[in-house]
Amino acid sequence: MRRLTLLFLALFLFSSLTVSVGAEPHYAKWGTLAVAETQKRYHANIIDYKYMGRTEIMAKKSEEKFKLWLKSKDGHEFGVFVTVQYDPSTDAIQTIQFKVSDQS
């Protein structure tokens, strides 16, 4: 079931994030990573996704931020802010941070 959910989300993200035919937004790769890592960490269904933006911290560090809305198996809904820090010249991941929020 989790694989099916993750596959569905990956397909949804790919199709909904496409700006024009053949074009993929710069954050699509990081959004897919944020979804996969959040699914692994919280074992809950991801029911919504929002790209929050990019911050360039310094020459070798950028951040992509996302907010995901999850629903646990017991029906509890909560938000998770996911920040992916990486080296923009190599795309090497430096950190992935999670912050839980009960507010929408």
Side-chain angles (χ1 to χ4, degrees), residues 55-67:
T55 304
E56 297 196 20
I57 300 170
M58 58 182 105
K60 293 200 175 222
K61 187 183 280 188
S62 291
E63 290 182 340
E64 299 288 351
K65 296 182 181 183
F66 304 89
K67 182 175 184 182

Side-chain angles (χ1 to χ4, degrees), residues 2-67:
R2 280 189 225 161
R3 283 186 178 183
L4 182 59
T5 301
L6 192 53
L7 177 61
F8 173 78
L9 281 171
L11 291 173
F12 171 77
L13 288 174
F14 179 76
S15 65
S16 66
L17 297 178
T18 302
V19 176
S20 63
V21 176
E24 188 175 85
H26 69 276
Y27 58 85
K29 170 174 152 175
W30 306 114
T32 301
L33 175 68
V35 166
E37 292 299 315
T38 302
Q39 183 74 33
K40 277 195 266 183
R41 184 177 183 117
Y42 294 99
H43 306 288
N45 292 325
I46 298 170
I47 57 177
D48 200 7
Y49 165 100
K50 181 177 182 181
Y51 175 62
M52 304 295 289
R54 172 190 285 176
T55 304
E56 297 196 20
I57 300 170
M58 58 182 105
K60 293 200 175 222
K61 187 183 280 188
S62 291
E63 290 182 340
E64 299 288 351
K65 296 182 181 183
F66 304 89
K67 182 175 184 182

